[in-house]
Amino acid sequence: MVADGNTPAPPERLWRNPEPKRNYDVVIVGAGGHGLATAYYLARNHGITDIAVVERGWLAGGNMARNTTIIRSNYLLDASAALYDHALRLWEELPEELEYEFHFSQRGVLNLAHTEQEVRDARRRAFANELNGVDAEWLTPDEIAEVCPILDTSPNLRYPVLGATYQRRAGIAKHDLVAWGLARKCDEMGVDFIQNREVTGFLTDEDRVVGVRTDKGDIGAGRVGLAAAGRTTLLTDTLGLRLPLQSHPLQAMATEILEPVHPCVVMSNHVHVYTSQAHKGELVLGAGIDTHNGYAQRGSVHVVENQLAAAVELFPVFARAHLLRTWAGTVDVTPDASPIIGPTPYENLFVNCGWGTGGFKATPGAGWVFAHTIATGAPHPLNEPYGMERFTTGALIDEHGAAAVAH
Amino acid sequence: MTVLNKVESETAAPETATAARHSPLEHRAAELERRSTSGARGVRLHEEPFLSQINLRTPPGGVESSAVSDSLGLPLPTVNRVSGDEHHAVLWLGPDESLIVAPDGRAEHLLRTVRDAQRGGSGSAVDVSANRTTLRLSGPAAREVLEKLCSLDLHPRSFGPGDCAQTLLGRVIVVLWQLDREPGYRIMVRCSFADYLVDLLLDAMAEFLDG
Amino acid sequence: MLLVRCPWCGDRDEAEFRYGGQADVDYPADPHQLDDAAWGEYLFVRANPLGSFNERWVHTAGCRRWFSLVRDTATNEMSPDIPRRRESR
């Protein structure tokens, strides 16, 4: 279940590094997971292959390289459950479809409840999940101990574990391999990846976007899709288009490589811990966002300290592990903790942003609906509720309030 | 739920109420005594329970502040400073906020004095004696102990006798007040956090146990 | 770890503060005159610049006062000026 030694040897080349053409049918900004998946489903579902994915750094080197790889779909609200479970079903078929083993491991996720109120909220969410066709179980502390023996389920903790929801289909995947598998297939279908080229703005013809400006020259585009996460507003600001996004540092950390000790994914909103053991054997832990805005890809020590104190309380064996690395990405957070996926007031410009701390799990689902939106000019039924107009109409998808989400 | 605000009684509390008082850390008094050390690297910790504390809000620089100051017989403190001594002091808490600290039993008298001085002006005076208890940490190693828990620079060049600060010790908000050069400190902490803070301090003191 | 300069208490560890986001976002003078789009923008949209940002902090573990300072969101450098002492509202 953990280290299996079957990681494929990297082939010599997974994608070309072409010089960009002057024009493409579609330009995607950002070669992270969502940009790659969007290009993939544009080609696979819509037959659009004249695509450039333009990336300021290297392919999958931003948040795709920095996340904690958790995949789950046990969200409370109908719109969220539909979108995330669609993504989960795509994850289940993607390794075969991409002919690429990226270690999607459905080892299950426990979402712990530590107070009576959390118990009520969690059970409500489990019932809602069942109604939405999302697998969910409620476990007692004894049942939790069977699933994850290293978790302290004794009543002596400051915040004892009173129960947990359990989604068996949830799990983790190896993030780099996901990106490489998608990139390889896209490349085979003719998609160009343009790395080390930063999109700095847009070419416009009145209210119509006709291409992108980059630090190395303009590229014409029939349609432009933004999948730029924390840097989205830097681009939309150039058009005077104001989006309800705030960019924050989000930190994660890993220990040295250990024998398999941690069999599943454990998340606790109350003490704020989420952790799993990577395939190679590192314990991977994620922190909450640093509260201040920031693009530094660096967070503060006290956030990590609080995270580790809570983790050691829940998992006494973690006290013997050594923290080797901490790092941070830049996540774009919306007021309702749900993404924005849809058209913009600018013709031919589409945005997929605001995934906050939880974008990785949605990678194929986001790509699927964003590709549909770009190809047809209108949202897919699954992302219809996720347009930016919800911040005017008030029809928010308030996963913050509903589930106190830590993604 | 209805909460009725009741005007504070001006009459003295009956003797029996005083006799029944329990301080937040009285159950740890023997332990604190046992874990305190003397000598060149000694450090001592004990509780100073029931100090009288009045939270004072006064518009800075106004007539009210000089009236209050006159009534107390102490100038109001400047930023991050304490005016007076450990028996009768005013601590700076913020630009228009101070804390009067005096021995047990003085709260009612102080309250009356300050409110008389404030009459006709703006400001407030509230008895917050039950809000915090006080720990006294002293001895040659006291600063080293505090430095394990506190992000302030406590070196004498930047924090000395008569200085005070509201800050974090561990994860608890405290009022930290240096009394003398030994050094000795008062640490004023909310009653419900006092046990946690004592745990932290005793842990930080452990290395000095065998002097 | 950021060192934040409280205009009252001086330089303090970031852990003593809470963040308040963009500064100088005033309540609309006449909210009834705003249409839904303008109201939504007031409620939900804040600047998110890369670089200099004028922002609010509150010294929760200290003097509990709100104040504004200018910080670079890429480097975390803070303006060397004493932050403006703006009273709490």
Side-chain angles (χ1 to χ4, degrees):
Chain A
M1 161 190 51
V2 183
D4 60 9
N6 289 331
T7 303
E12 281 180 21
R13 191 193 62 118
L14 287 167
W15 57 86
R16 297 160 292 123
N17 260 320
E19 279 300 307
K21 299 189 293 183
R22 292 166 62 99
N23 282 285
Y24 288 90
D25 287 348
V26 175
V27 166
I28 309 282
V29 182
H34 286 210
L36 294 168
T38 303
Y40 174 68
Y41 287 115
L42 275 169
R44 176 191 181 276
N45 294 354
H46 304 280
I48 298 172
T49 56
D50 185 32
I51 303 171
V53 183
V54 186
E55 167 59 49
R56 64 188 282 271
W58 60 94
L59 187 143
N63 292 345
M64 190 61 171
R66 296 156 201 265
N67 71 88
T68 53
T69 81
I70 297 170
I71 295 168
R72 64 184 180 93
S73 65
N74 53 354
Y75 281 72
L76 175 72
L77 301 174
D78 294 349
S80 313
L83 182 60
Y84 289 100
D85 206 56
H86 174 64
L88 182 47
R89 288 195 295 273
L90 293 174
W91 281 114
E92 286 168 338
E93 61 193 42
L94 212 47
E96 197 176 326
E97 191 176 307
L98 295 178
E99 301 166 285
Y100 202 78
E101 176 53 64
F102 57 70
H103 296 319
F104 176 42
S105 160
Q106 291 178 285
R107 58 183 65 183
V109 59
L110 292 169
N111 290 80
L112 307 180
H114 301 272
T115 66
E116 294 296 341
Q117 184 59 44
E118 265 201 317
V119 169
R120 286 188 286 270
D121 290 345
R123 300 196 69 171
R124 175 188 177 215
R125 181 165 49 74
F127 290 136
N129 289 161
E130 282 179 41
L131 291 172
N132 277 317
V134 176
D135 72 303
E137 294 163 52
W138 173 255
L139 302 191
T140 63
D142 287 345
E143 292 166 332
I144 294 167
E146 277 175 39
V147 173
C148 188
I150 58 170
L151 193 58
D152 187 348
T153 51
S154 71
N156 307 323
L157 297 189
R158 170 69 181 82
Y159 296 106
V161 176
L162 302 182
T165 64
Y166 187 35
Q167 184 180 24
R168 290 177 193 265
R169 288 162 64 231
I172 59 173
K174 186 80 182 74
H175 50 98
D176 293 336
L177 298 177
V178 171
W180 299 343
L182 284 166
R184 188 182 69 143
K185 266 284 186 256
C186 287
D187 183 84
E188 277 175 20
M189 293 188 285
V191 174
D192 283 357
F193 294 111
I194 315 296
Q195 301 182 82
N196 294 312
R197 183 179 286 237
E198 180 164 6
V199 173
T200 56
F202 302 95
L203 304 173
T204 54
D205 179 3
E206 297 187 343
D207 278 353
R208 200 154 57 93
V209 167
V210 297
V212 294
R213 296 187 188 285
T214 80
D215 56 354
K216 294 171 188 149
D218 299 345
I219 303 175
R223 293 184 173 179
V224 175
L226 294 187
R231 301 177 77 90
T232 301
T233 58
L234 305 182
L235 295 171
T236 51
D237 280 355
T238 66
L239 293 171
L241 172 61
R242 299 189 72 211
L243 293 179
L245 296 174
Q246 297 281 286
S247 296
H248 293 275
L250 176 67
Q251 304 187 77
M253 60 214 81
T255 66
E256 77 272 50
I257 291 170
L258 301 166
E259 288 296 315
V261 292
H262 186 3
C264 59
V265 180
V266 172
M267 309 181 66
S268 163
N269 288 343
H270 197 83
V271 301
H272 210 286
V273 167
Y274 47 106
T275 177
S276 66
Q277 187 167 17
H279 295 84
K280 239 180 350 178
E282 311 101 314
L283 294 169
V284 178
L285 298 98
I289 58 167
D290 281 53
T291 55
H292 56 268
N293 294 33
Y295 292 85
Q297 292 186 316
R298 190 158 71 179
S300 289
V301 177
H302 70 274
V303 177
V304 170
E305 259 178 8
N306 293 349
Q307 164 74 16
L308 292 176
V312 169
E313 171 109 342
L314 278 178
F315 298 92
V317 294
F318 284 14
R320 306 295 292 273
H322 300 98
L323 191 68
L324 287 196
R325 297 183 293 131
T326 73
W327 62 89
T330 306
V331 298
D332 45 328
V333 177
T334 60
D336 63 357
S338 290
I340 300 171
I341 320 162
T344 68
Y346 284 82
E347 200 181 326
N348 297 333
L349 177 67
F350 304 88
V351 290
N352 169 55
C353 57
W355 286 92
T357 59
F360 178 76
K361 70 174 71 62
T363 300
W368 183 287
V369 300
F370 195 39
H372 178 99
T373 307
I374 294 170
T376 65
H380 185 280
L382 286 173
N383 68 311
E384 188 120 41
Y386 288 89
M388 63 178 70
E389 65 281 355
R390 74 179 188 270
F391 298 100
T392 299
T393 63
L396 304 181
I397 306 165
D398 202 352
E399 281 292 348
H400 251 323
V405 193
H407 292 281
Chain B
M1 193 175 72
T2 310
V3 178
L4 296 173
N5 286 322
K6 210 171 126 202
V7 176
E8 208 172 293
S9 164
E10 292 290 322
T11 54
E15 289 274 315
T16 47
T18 310
R21 288 190 310 181
H22 293 278
S23 76
L25 292 170
E26 69 178 21
H27 64 293
R28 305 191 71 168
E31 183 189 5
L32 297 187
E33 174 73 35
R34 203 166 57 243
R35 303 279 290 271
S36 292
T37 52
S38 53
R41 276 167 58 78
V43 55
R44 303 179 300 280
L45 182 64
H46 67 266
E47 186 188 16
E48 292 185 80
F50 309 128
L51 291 186
S52 298
Q53 299 166 58
I54 308 289
N55 186 282
L56 182 66
R57 300 294 296 263
T58 306
V63 285
E64 296 91 344
S65 69
S66 45
V68 168
S69 163
D70 289 347
S71 75
L72 291 169
L74 284 174
L76 292 188
T78 53
V79 176
N80 293 332
R81 291 286 294 167
V82 179
S83 172
D85 58 30
E86 67 177 274
H87 305 294
H88 181 43
V90 188
L91 282 67
W92 187 90
L93 295 187
D96 63 356
E97 187 174 5
S98 331
L99 185 70
I100 306 170
V101 180
D104 187 17
R106 300 283 296 156
E108 208 169 310
H109 168 74
L110 285 166
L111 207 53
R112 217 167 17 239
T113 307
V114 171
R115 282 180 178 168
D116 280 347
Q118 285 176 325
R119 190 154 295 151
S122 52
S124 72
V126 180
D127 181 359
V128 294
S129 305
N131 185 8
R132 306 179 187 89
T133 190
T134 303
L135 280 159
R136 188 159 181 145
L137 181 77
S138 55
R143 175 158 67 90
E144 281 180 74
V145 168
L146 271 186
E147 281 169 343
K148 296 185 192 181
L149 306 173
C150 182
S151 64
L152 290 182
D153 180 3
L154 298 176
H155 189 277
R157 79 184 152 234
S158 58
F159 199 88
D163 281 337
C164 70
Q166 290 183 92
T167 187
L168 290 174
L169 290 189
R171 295 174 75 168
V172 187
I173 297 174
V174 300
V175 180
L176 179 65
W177 168 11
Q178 183 165 346
L179 297 165
D180 52 42
R181 284 189 195 287
E182 186 190 18
Y185 301 92
R186 268 182 178 161
I187 306 165
M188 311 183 81
V189 60
R190 295 199 183 125
C191 295
S192 57
F193 298 156
D195 261 307
Y196 165 84
L197 182 60
V198 162
D199 288 343
L200 289 182
L201 287 166
L202 289 180
D203 188 55
M205 286 162 64
E207 68 166 295
F208 303 101
L209 254 184
D210 302 315
Chain C
M1 187 73 78
L2 306 182
L3 192 63
V4 179
R5 179 160 294 172
C6 169
W8 306 104
C9 302
D11 288 341
R12 294 296 186 89
D13 190 325
E14 176 194 356
E16 294 190 5
F17 298 85
R18 293 289 178 276
Y19 186 63
Q22 185 184 354
D24 296 334
V25 179
D26 288 328
Y27 191 75
D30 187 358
H32 297 290
Q33 291 303 308
L34 300 187
D35 61 13
D36 286 352
W39 181 247
E41 176 144 332
Y42 164 68
L43 278 186
F44 296 122
V45 181
R46 296 291 180 271
N48 189 30
L50 172 70
S52 197
F53 192 37
N54 183 17
E55 61 191 14
R56 301 281 279 161
W57 291 79
V58 58
H59 194 184
T60 39
C63 62
R64 298 183 295 282
R65 263 51 175 190
W66 283 93
F67 59 92
S68 301
L69 59 76
V70 175
R71 180 179 58 96
D72 187 307
T73 59
T75 63
N76 283 328
E77 267 179 296
M78 299 191 197
S79 158
D81 305 333
I82 297 282
R84 277 179 299 127
R85 294 180 172 189
R86 180 162 142 177
E87 281 305 297
S88 52
R89 319 186 259 195

